[in-house]
Amino acid sequence: MAASFSHRAAGTLAATAILALTLGTSLALASPALASGPTGAESSRTVRTEAEPHSSRTERSIRAARSAQAVRSAQDGKVTSTTVQLELRQDGVLHVREEVVFEGDAPSRDLVARTRYDDRSDRLYQVTGLKGDATLTGETITLKGSGSATLEYDVLGAVTPLADAQELRWYAVGAWSVPVEQARVSVSGPATTQNLSCFAGPLTSAIACTEASMDHTGVAAEFGQQDLGAGEVLTVVVGYPAGATKGAPVLERRFELSNAFTLNAVTGGALAGLLLLMLGGLGLLYWTRGRDARVVGHESGSLSGVENGHFAPPDGVRPGQIGTLMDEQADVIDVTATIVDLAVRGYLRIDEQPRQTYETPDWRLVRMPAAQVASLLPYERELYDAIFDGRDAVLLSELQGSFGAKLGRVREALYRDVVTQGWFARRPDTVRTRWTTLGVVLTGLGVLATVGLAWLTTYGVLGLALIIAGAALAVGGQYMPAKTAKGAGALAHTLGFREYLSSADLGGDVPEAQRVELFSRYLPYAVIFDNVDRWARVVSSVTGNGQQADNLYWYHGPAEWDLSRFADSMRTFTMTTSGAISTTRQFRSL
């Protein structure tokens, strides 16, 4: 105890040295005493007997150090004395009675309500049942009256069970708003005291208090401390036999990212189980709801699209329908192919405009007056009306920017058409949007669940299962539109037609008089199948009599142009048209 007290005296003498310097006194007077303090390890020994008497030199040092503090705090007041009686009951509740004598305005005291317990939890000290000459606001006790006050309250969570003992630790005096001249603490409990110690100073101080002792029966303990500064604390620690009380610490989990997403055998197994369950459910959902009818593999094969010498696409499928049937999306390229198809079928003519070397190519779309527009399919009529919009001709460049708003009606008509044809039970875009929206909602719920689990527990990783499942559903929603048996059969035939267009040997089986029209009818489908170059060269290589010509019946070039340039012109036209009618490749991204 002497060593502990010497260490505290050393700290006090440092303040004395500063005060002496301020008053013009020599620092050398305090240096010998300061150098004589013990180490921190010595000062933190458990106190088991009453403290040794102070030396006269130490007493003078303490008085000198505190005198300046007393002058500074005279206007704020002080606690002249405080007597605290602690009674540890068998249920683990610590009953506290305080008698405080003070000068000046009624002081206040900040209770220690929370300390760090371990890497995962904080320890709470719950103060209840305050009565007497004080009020409790949050974690602050404020005295009432003038000159003296008596108060009582209970503390829960001050007892810690150890391996073979129990320990009572409470911050009995301190964190007052003013200095405390004299503090006395008595502790009584339900069993014999096994050990005791006390600490004075800041909350984490390891400096022993002025005195600590127990009575001859070993049941009661006494502690004392002089000159506590404002905000300083007197902490008492008393050990009892194991099982002396039913007390236990009150713990509250502390939020930390490192703990919120703890991955161990339990959380890892639960996460794997949830992922297996959810992703397996998504797979089952696709198997039962999102698969096409399984007929493609049985009905595929190369198909020429010619019957009795005339063009007859499989199942009567038109280019715009093929694009929507294959990828279940109404794309800009589907509209481009439909424009070419309307031209080769005689509803409009494409006139390439003359240009200089560095000018941007342009084409004029001309309405054919004799065309029977009433025979067009609804989506074709929507496109036809959107192109001409009451005029007989329009430059492709004039559609730039202004045409995008009209594509929505064409898109709607295309999706309605594939349902009308019986290829889909529901519109592919509606099905896709429904499942994608559900996936986004599930992802959002997963984020909320993850935040909640991470904040309240250590099982934040379990919320990741919902996020992953939601993201998988949002992405998988793009594949949920399912074709009917009729649609799957049409797709099988379409794939056979694509195989023919990409690899057919165009020998002499097609009469020369029919080649231009037949091969022109193939061209819009080649646009969909990304085979424009080949079929454009095929078309440019033949005419009705097998000789080269300047123009086609549906495509006219400028002066000095002939069909030898048709392949380059057609490739440029399809690329320019797709860019002119929309700034994006797909309608769904408009």
Side-chain angles (χ1 to χ4, degrees):
M1 182 65 206
S4 299
F5 177 75
S6 297
H7 189 73
R8 178 167 180 80
T12 306
L13 293 179
T16 306
I18 297 174
L19 178 61
L21 181 62
T22 305
L23 298 175
T25 309
S26 173
L27 181 62
L29 296 176
S31 299
L34 182 63
S36 65
T39 64
E42 294 172 336
S43 66
S44 61
R45 292 183 307 189
T46 300
V47 180
R48 298 180 181 273
T49 60
E50 188 171 355
E52 298 176 4
H54 305 315
S55 67
S56 59
R57 185 173 184 175
T58 300
E59 291 174 348
R60 291 195 304 271
S61 299
I62 294 175
R63 286 195 298 270
R66 296 302 182 186
S67 60
Q69 185 180 28
V71 172
R72 290 194 302 270
S73 61
Q75 295 180 345
D76 297 330
K78 62 181 177 179
V79 173
T80 305
S81 66
T82 176
T83 303
V84 181
Q85 298 175 1
L86 304 180
E87 179 189 357
L88 179 61
R89 297 169 177 170
Q90 199 164 18
D91 58 2
V93 175
L94 178 66
H95 182 72
V96 182
R97 176 182 172 83
E98 296 188 28
E99 296 179 0
V100 184
V101 179
F102 59 91
E103 297 179 1
D105 296 335
S108 62
R109 174 187 177 188
D110 292 330
L111 295 170
V112 177
R114 177 189 299 266
T115 59
R116 182 183 178 88
Y117 184 75
D118 56 23
D119 292 338
R120 299 176 57 180
S121 304
D122 286 340
R123 180 172 189 162
L124 305 183
Y125 296 91
Q126 299 177 341
V127 174
T128 60
L130 176 67
K131 57 185 178 180
D133 304 323
T135 58
L136 177 62
T137 304
E139 298 169 0
T140 301
I141 291 178
T142 303
L143 300 185
K144 297 186 296 185
S146 175
S148 65
T150 302
L151 59 150
E152 295 184 41
Y153 53 88
D154 292 331
V155 180
L156 183 63
V159 177
T160 304
L162 303 176
D164 55 355
Q166 283 189 348
E167 181 182 86
L168 167 66
R169 178 184 291 265
W170 178 237
Y171 310 94
V173 179
W176 285 101
S177 57
V178 295
V180 178
E181 288 187 345
Q182 179 69 40
R184 304 291 305 177
V185 179
S186 63
V187 182
S188 62
T192 302
T193 301
Q194 291 188 333
N195 56 74
L196 55 86
S197 60
C198 62
F199 308 97
L203 183 62
T204 58
S205 173
I207 300 175
C209 63
T210 304
E211 57 182 279
S213 64
M214 66 178 71
D215 65 5
H216 66 282
T217 64
V219 174
E222 297 283 342
F223 303 91
Q225 177 64 36
Q226 296 178 353
D227 298 322
L228 279 174
E232 292 186 340
V233 178
L234 172 61
T235 304
V236 298
V237 182
V238 180
Y240 293 99
T245 72
K246 298 179 180 179
V250 178
L251 303 181
E252 181 178 88
R253 179 181 170 272
R254 181 174 58 256
F255 175 76
E256 292 180 357
L257 282 178
S258 58
N259 296 331
F261 295 91
T262 301
L263 187 61
N264 50 38
V266 176
T267 57
L271 177 61
L274 283 175
L275 283 177
L276 182 62
L277 180 63
M278 292 183 177
L279 296 181
L282 292 179
L284 180 62
L285 187 63
Y286 174 77
W287 185 264
T288 57
R289 299 288 299 276
R291 286 196 314 154
D292 298 340
R294 301 289 91 186
V295 299
V296 173
H298 300 291
E299 299 189 14
S300 60
S302 181
L303 298 174
S304 67
V306 178
E307 292 182 6
N308 300 322
H310 297 284
F311 178 73
D315 299 291
V317 178
R318 295 181 181 174
Q321 295 172 329
I322 284 181
T324 307
L325 177 65
M326 291 183 64
D327 61 11
E328 300 163 350
Q329 296 178 14
D331 297 340
V332 169
I333 196 63
D334 302 339
V335 177
T336 301
T338 301
I339 292 175
V340 177
D341 188 49
L342 291 176
V344 300
R345 287 161 55 196
Y347 290 94
L348 60 89
R349 189 181 71 242
I350 304 173
D351 291 347
E352 184 176 341
Q353 302 300 293
R355 61 187 175 97
Q356 299 300 321
T357 303
Y358 298 106
E359 289 182 352
T360 302
D362 203 357
W363 290 262
R364 183 181 297 277
L365 306 181
V366 181
R367 183 203 300 266
M368 302 305 290
Q372 300 295 319
V373 295
S375 62
L376 293 175
L377 293 175
Y379 81 90
E380 294 174 326
R381 182 60 183 269
E382 287 283 359
L383 177 60
Y384 186 85
D385 292 342
I387 291 173
F388 293 108
D389 195 17
R391 54 199 168 189
D392 292 330
V394 61
L395 287 173
L396 189 61
S397 59
E398 294 176 352
L399 300 179
Q400 182 78 36
S402 63
F403 193 73
K406 302 174 184 178
L407 290 181
R409 295 194 298 270
V410 181
R411 173 196 182 196
E412 294 292 314
L414 260 173
Y415 282 130
R416 288 195 300 267
D417 181 79
V418 294
V419 176
T420 301
Q421 299 294 334
W423 298 335
F424 292 89
R426 302 173 188 82
R427 285 178 45 160
D429 60 326
T430 302
V431 173
R432 190 163 43 243
T433 300
R434 181 183 304 145
W435 287 108
T436 301
T437 301
L438 183 59
V440 171
V441 171
L442 186 59
T443 301
L445 292 176
V447 171
L448 294 177
T450 300
V451 172
L453 289 171
W455 185 261
L456 300 175
T457 71
T458 60
Y459 303 136
V461 294
L462 299 185
L464 298 179
L466 279 178
I467 296 178
I468 295 172
L473 185 58
V475 174
Q478 306 301 310
Y479 306 96
M480 290 305 291
K483 301 176 185 66
T484 62
K486 183 178 180 181
L491 176 61
H493 300 155
T494 298
L495 296 178
F497 187 38
R498 181 178 66 178
E499 181 181 345
Y500 171 79
L501 292 182
S502 63
S503 61
D505 180 14
L506 303 177
D509 55 338
V510 179
E512 289 186 358
Q514 299 176 5
R515 288 185 180 182
V516 171
E517 180 182 2
L518 180 62
F519 295 163
S520 293
R521 293 294 300 274
Y522 282 154
L523 188 57
Y525 296 87
V527 173
I528 294 293
F529 298 141
D530 199 19
N531 199 14
V532 175
D533 286 348
R534 178 172 187 263
W535 280 99
R537 289 193 299 270
V538 169
V539 172
S540 65
S541 65
V542 296
T543 65
N545 57 9
Q547 301 298 319
Q548 191 64 268
D550 292 338
N551 294 293
L552 295 171
Y553 69 93
W554 59 274
Y555 190 101
H556 288 181
E560 307 300 327
W561 183 92
D562 58 41
L563 284 181
S564 64
R565 303 180 184 178
F566 176 72
D568 290 337
S569 295
M570 198 65 211
R571 179 177 59 253
T572 307
F573 173 78
T574 56
M575 295 176 60
T576 305
T577 301
S578 295
I581 63 178
S582 176
T583 57
T584 57
R585 181 74 175 171
Q586 298 179 335
F587 288 140
R588 62 190 177 93
S589 60
L590 288 178

